[in-house]
Amino acid sequence: AQRARLAALYESTAFVARAESLEALAQGIAKQVRQVARADASAVRWSDEANRKYLLLASDCLPQAVVDEELCIPTGDCLCGQPQGGATTRVIPILPDGPASRLGHCAREGFQTVISVPVRLHERMVGELNLFYREPRSLSDDDRALLETIASHLAGAIEGLRAAALQRETAVAEERSFIARELHDSIAQSLAFLKIQLGLLRSDRRARVAHAGPEFDAAIARVEAFVTEADKLLALEPPRLERSDL
């Protein structure tokens, strides 16, 4: 039994290290923890930062009726969604005559026990593992330690994916800022050249196109108005220019 637990821990560690997305991570852990705990079904839930609700990220062998009922549950509405303050690994018996609003749909699907394992990161609840059984079950100290270690691996992997996503977002933001600065400088140079050309054109008009009359003056005025407005935009800092979709 000890060798099997060590193998399960090794497999868990290897899997979370190579998971490339939150969806793949959650689905893989749901399947793995169900097999390790010899459960009839499993679920992986994610909690928002304020621990106000739990979102069902993945499940394995969980009936569709239960999935539909528990896609998003407010914290405390169901025994599976523990508040952060008192969260602990628990074995929860499902009583046929229990309140319909708490585990009622689990009872209808024939489950008799749920094991709830908090997923914590630095004392903050980031989610929960749930194991469903169609028979009464208890939890040994060794099995409890195994499940809590897998939950810890899951928490670390979630944080790693979050950090990687933030790093990618930072890289994209820096690239966009660089492009905005390059665009800013390029437009400034083009406008400066256009101003010079407009000045030369206006000076040369009397000598070469005096017959053009007021229409020519109006066209020049419109171009100058455009240049003036463009100058105002270029007075913005490049990041502000970027936010203006320019």
Side-chain angles (χ1 to χ4, degrees):
Q2 185 67 22
R3 181 176 297 177
R5 292 189 185 94
L6 290 174
L9 286 177
Y10 176 80
E11 184 179 351
S12 171
T13 303
F15 171 74
V16 299
R18 64 176 181 267
E20 297 183 353
S21 70
L22 183 59
E23 293 78 9
L25 173 66
Q27 192 59 57
I29 287 293
K31 181 177 181 180
Q32 185 182 75
V33 76
R34 184 189 66 78
Q35 294 173 343
V36 167
R38 299 175 297 280
D40 294 298
S42 66
V44 176
R45 305 180 194 276
W46 171 83
S47 175
D48 64 313
E49 190 168 351
N51 193 222
R52 291 173 297 192
K53 59 187 176 183
Y54 282 86
L55 177 69
L56 185 63
L57 286 182
S59 62
D60 192 49
C61 298
L62 194 63
Q64 189 61 44
V66 179
V67 172
D68 293 341
E69 289 275 357
E70 298 193 353
L71 282 175
C72 184
I73 55 176
T75 300
D77 272 20
C78 176
L79 294 176
C80 284
Q82 299 187 64
Q84 178 168 310
T88 184
T89 300
R90 297 189 297 167
V91 178
I92 307 168
I94 301 175
L95 305 176
D97 56 351
S101 62
R102 309 189 89 192
L103 300 178
H105 45 275
C106 293
R108 288 192 296 272
E109 294 298 327
F111 294 117
Q112 297 186 35
T113 308
V114 174
I115 293 178
S116 174
V117 184
V119 179
R120 289 192 182 89
L121 181 67
H122 308 313
E123 302 305 317
R124 182 176 70 83
M125 285 286 288
V126 296
E128 190 173 88
L129 297 177
N130 297 132
L131 300 164
F132 301 82
Y133 297 87
R134 289 190 166 90
E135 60 186 16
R137 288 297 298 261
S138 58
L139 190 63
S140 69
D141 290 342
D142 287 341
D143 286 341
R144 181 187 299 268
L146 174 61
L147 293 175
E148 289 177 349
T149 301
I150 292 176
S152 176
H153 290 170
L154 175 59
I158 290 175
E159 175 63 12
L161 289 173
R162 186 190 71 84
L166 287 176
Q167 188 175 17
R168 287 193 296 271
E169 289 177 6
T170 300
V172 169
E174 289 176 350
E175 180 66 17
R176 289 186 64 190
S177 181
F178 172 77
I179 292 173
R181 286 193 295 270
E182 291 292 306
L183 181 60
H184 179 280
D185 294 343
S186 176
I187 293 174
Q189 291 174 7
S190 297
L191 285 176
F193 177 75
L194 183 56
K195 285 180 184 179
I196 294 171
Q197 293 296 98
L198 280 173
L200 293 174
L201 186 59
R202 181 175 288 280
S203 299
D204 197 46
R205 184 184 72 83
R206 293 184 179 88
R208 299 192 181 185
V209 290
H211 62 280
E215 293 81 4
F216 182 82
D217 286 335
I220 292 293
R222 284 195 295 271
V223 175
E224 288 180 332
F226 167 77
V227 172
T228 300
E229 289 300 314
D231 270 338
K232 291 179 181 178
L233 281 175
L234 287 175
L236 298 173
E237 291 295 324
R240 292 182 60 193
L241 185 65
E242 178 188 356
R243 290 195 293 272
S244 301
D245 295 328
L246 295 176

